[in-house]
């Protein structure tokens, strides 16, 4: 075994030599690998630089090109080697009206270049090159924004076109409104004055027809104007407390005549959950209700139309749910989706037969949405229609007088074949603390009278099948029922003959349908009181009181339209005021130089010098102590016209056709009148643009 140690020694020496060579070879390999990786990173960086879609230029501090990626080279149209060292401003293919952009390297701008013969837009961004405090140059990046810019230009052009269309539409509507309202001022004004005079029943019928036709024309004009305001986003809602009951009753007033002609009952019922007063926009609520009730009257030939009010909670918010139910012709299911489209009705034949612009439901839908609600419909042909609408409605505190104490405990019998009418009147009588019984026919009423000790008052519907109201009253009177009840006949507007024979029939009072709570309360209170009831104005007329004569105000009326001027003069005379006349702006200025006037009723559209320019001249030239109160008279009722009048210096605004009460209220706002009137508990209201619903309700 002596040979083993020398062998181990030799193997160890060889291993050491081999290890040294392997280490040297490893160091050499690592160096080569490091060198190879460095080349790879440079290659990757260069490839990425060339693959950037935007054009990237590296320039020195003097603006000379140092390097560029492939997108930039394609944009220049020359090789990088030939362009290197040249000024970038000189290399770029600027459009004819473009300028250089490297004067201020801190800016980001847009410029137009010509590429392949076509102009293109680029967004230019600059950033410094180098890490020192003084940049060695900058990186210039050009991003192609041609498509984005073209889209923006198209959107701008479309927006400007839409704005121009809105402007032209507003001007067109203003002209149309003026041309229609100017003659309607005469029609409505004269018919309202005629209704306040002594007329025969036949004459009153004729005048009522003219008035209804005038209101119908105004309704179409108002719908078009409202639609335009809603489309332009010019509708602003009020948030004031108002009585739902009063609002519904005033809406019914508009359609009482038409409903009476058809024999349609108009009723309203409040659910136990419904508030009687809410905070909201009464004008817009009434406008929706007017559209729906008007449609119901139009498409119902017989039966009843009922407005039902309920209160609900949606997402812990109080909601008012209104149903307008009719017994009309109904709507086919495949036609329901057309109802809320502009200028559309269920069928073309419907438009021909019943008329209408097809805008009422569209306007109602938009208004309900503005008031935080919605609108929808349920209907079947032949089974009537129910329109539902909701609005956000915060309940408001009730402000009602206590019921008359002398009505408490008195007994009443309500005789009507319509269940809704019996329910409505019955609830109203219960609210007066009266004991109430109901009967659905004359025979049923006679049976109840036989089994009851007696009724203090019997309210009888004139129109009932089998035994009508007149026959029932005669029958009860002939049987000499004791104690003798007092009879109140429920009539319609077309029952003037029965009203004239009230004393002959032994009637204590007559109440016109649809029955109003206030009217019912006052009639019964007068019935059981020694006080004599006050005379009521004739139906359809406006109650006016002399205003200007006792207050001694001087008024100047400026209007170039002869017919319109005569109508306004006549209305002023009804109010006790005589006015001087001017036919144009120059005559107004001349009159103001010679006399001092408390107010000027200024027509806006006059030849030569219109009302706006005349007002500006008055405000500029007259001393402060001679400035009159100026009320605009215009047949254009759009919001822009209102604003133009205010900007010109006018104080108040009346839209034609001018109503007697509207003009009376405007005259009461004149400072000379307010200073002469005794203090009132009701503060003078600020004037506002008349609304379509207000026009209809007056």
């Amino acid at each position: 075994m002596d040979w083993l140690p020398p062998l181990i020694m030799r193997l160890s020496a060889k291993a050491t030599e081999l290890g040294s060579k392997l280490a040297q070879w490893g160091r050499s390999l690592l160096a080569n690998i490091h060198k190879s990786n460095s080349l790879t990173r440079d290659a990757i960086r260069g490839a990425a630089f060339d693959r950037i879609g935007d054009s990237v230029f590296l320039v020195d501090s003097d603006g000379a090109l140092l390097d560029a990626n492939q997108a930039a080279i394609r944009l220049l149209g020359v090789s990088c080697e030939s362009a290197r060292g040249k000024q970038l401003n000189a290399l770029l293919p600027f459009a004819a009206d473009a300028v250089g952009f490297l004067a201020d390297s801190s800016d980001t701008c847009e410029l137009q270049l010509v590429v392949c013969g076509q102009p293109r837009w680029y967004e230019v961004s600059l950033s410094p090159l180098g890490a020192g405090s003084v940049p060695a140059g900058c990186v210039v990046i050009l991003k192609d924004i041609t498509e984005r810019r073209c889209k923006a230009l198209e959107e701008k052009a479309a927006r400007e076109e839409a704005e121009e269309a809105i402007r032209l539409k507003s001007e067109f509507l203003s002209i149309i409104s003026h041309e229609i309202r100017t003659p309607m001022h005469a029609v409505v004004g004269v018919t309202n004055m005629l209704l306040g005079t002594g007329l025969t029943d036949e004459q009153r019928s004729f005048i009522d027809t003219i008035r209804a036709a005038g209101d119908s024309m105004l309704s179409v004009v108002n719908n078009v104007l409202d639609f335009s305001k809603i489309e332009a986003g010019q509708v602003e809602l009020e948030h004031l407390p108002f009585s739902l009951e009063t609002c519904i009753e005033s809406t019914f007033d508009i359609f009482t005549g038409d409903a009476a002609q058809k024999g349609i009952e108009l009723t309203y019922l409040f659910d136990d959950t419904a508030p009687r007063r809410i905070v909201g926009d009464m004008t817009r609520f009434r406008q929706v209700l007017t559209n729906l009730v008007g449609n119901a009257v139009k498409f119902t030939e017989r039966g009843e139309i009922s407005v039902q009010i309920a209160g609900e909670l949606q997402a812990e918010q109080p909601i008012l749910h209104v149903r307008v139910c009719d017994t009309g012709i109904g709507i086919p299911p495949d036609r329901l989706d057309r109802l809320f489209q502009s200028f559309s009705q269920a069928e073309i034949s419907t438009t021909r037969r019943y008329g209408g612009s097809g805008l009422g439901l569209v306007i109602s839908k938009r208004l309900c949405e503005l008031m935080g609600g919605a609108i929808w419909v349920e209907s079947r042909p032949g089974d009537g229609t129910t329109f539902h609408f909701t609005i956000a409605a915060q309940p408001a505190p009730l402000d009602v007088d206590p019921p008359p104490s002398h009505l408490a405990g008195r007994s009443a019998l309500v005789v009507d074949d319509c269940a809704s009418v019996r329910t409505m009147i019955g609830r109203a009588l219960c609210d007066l603390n009266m004991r109430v019984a109901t009967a659905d026919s004359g025979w049923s009423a006679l049976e109840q009278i036989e089994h009851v000790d007696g009724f203090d008052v019997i309210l009888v519907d004139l129109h009932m099948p089998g035994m009508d109201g007149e026959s029932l009253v005669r029958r009860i009177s002939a049987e000499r029922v004791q104690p003798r009840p007092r009879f109140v006949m429920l009539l319609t507007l077309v029952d003037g003959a029965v009203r004239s024979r009230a004393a002959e029939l032994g009637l204590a009072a007559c109440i016109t349908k649809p029955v109003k709570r206030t009217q019912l309360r006052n009639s019964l209170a007068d019935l059981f009181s020694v006080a004599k009831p006050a005379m009521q104005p004739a139906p359809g007329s406006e109650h006016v009181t002399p205003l200007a004569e006792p207050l001694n105000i001087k008024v100047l009326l400026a209007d170039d339209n002869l017919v319109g001027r005569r109508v306004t003069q006549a209305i002023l005379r009804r109010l006790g005021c005589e006015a001087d006349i001017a036919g144009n702006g120059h005559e107004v200025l001349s009159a103001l130089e010679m006399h001092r006037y408390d107010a000027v009723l200024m027509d806006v559209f006059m030849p030569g010098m219109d009302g706006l320019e005349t007002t500006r001249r008055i405000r500029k030239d007259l001393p402060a102590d001679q400035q009159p109160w100026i009320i605009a008279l215009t047949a254009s009722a759009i919001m822009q016209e209102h604003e133009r009048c205010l900007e010109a210096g006018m104080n108040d605004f009346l839209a034609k056709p001018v109503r007697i009460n509207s003009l009376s209220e405007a005259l009461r706002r004149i400072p000379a009148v307010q200073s002469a009137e005794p203090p009132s508990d009701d503060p003078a209201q600020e004037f506002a643009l008349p609304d379509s619903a207000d026009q209809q309700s007056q």
Side-chain angles (χ1 to χ4, degrees), residues 2 27 115 447 508 614 662 692:
D2 294 339
R27 286 193 294 271
V115 181
E447 289 180 8
T614 305
S662 298
S692 59

Side-chain angles (χ1 to χ4, degrees), residues 252-271:
F252 281 176
D253 283 343
I254 303 171
F255 305 105
T256 298
D258 292 337
Q261 292 287 349
K262 292 183 172 184
I264 300 171
E265 298 281 4
L266 298 177
T267 63
Y268 66 89
L269 295 172
F270 281 82
D271 189 270

Side-chain angles (χ1 to χ4, degrees), residues 7-48:
L7 178 60
I8 292 174
M9 292 290 292
R10 286 197 299 272
L11 289 175
S12 176
K14 289 291 185 181
T16 300
E17 181 181 358
L18 181 59
S20 176
K21 289 181 177 180
L22 285 173
Q24 184 179 0
W25 178 78
R27 286 193 294 271
S28 176
L29 179 61
L30 289 173
N32 289 334
I33 291 174
H34 180 75
K35 181 178 181 181
S36 175
N37 284 343
S38 178
L39 291 173
T40 302
R41 283 196 298 272
D42 291 342
I44 291 173
R45 186 181 294 112

Side-chain angles (χ1 to χ4, degrees), residues 584-594 609 614 617-618:
N584 55 53
H586 297 289
E587 293 181 9
V588 171
L589 296 178
S590 299
L592 289 173
E593 288 179 359
M594 295 183 291
M609 183 185 297
T614 305
R617 291 278 299 273
I618 292 172

Side-chain angles (χ1 to χ4, degrees), residues 550-597:
L551 299 177
N552 194 28
I553 62 171
K554 290 184 65 65
V555 177
L556 176 63
L557 172 61
D559 194 333
D560 66 296
N561 184 274
L562 178 61
V563 176
R565 193 164 63 221
R566 287 177 176 173
V567 171
T568 307
Q569 273 186 291
I571 295 175
L572 287 170
R573 291 194 193 101
R574 287 283 300 277
L575 295 171
C577 177
E578 290 291 337
D580 293 340
I581 303 300
N584 55 53
H586 297 289
E587 293 181 9
V588 171
L589 296 178
S590 299
L592 289 173
E593 288 179 359
M594 295 183 291
H595 304 283
R596 177 176 294 187
Y597 293 93

Side-chain angles (χ1 to χ4, degrees), residues 21 38 116 158 232 245 260 267 294 323 348 393 434 468 474 539 584 588 643 650 665:
K21 289 181 177 180
S38 178
C116 299
E245 198 167 60
T267 63
R323 296 174 178 86
I348 297 299
M434 299 179 69
D468 63 16
R474 292 185 184 276
N584 55 53
V588 171
E643 294 171 351
M650 296 184 179
E665 291 170 3

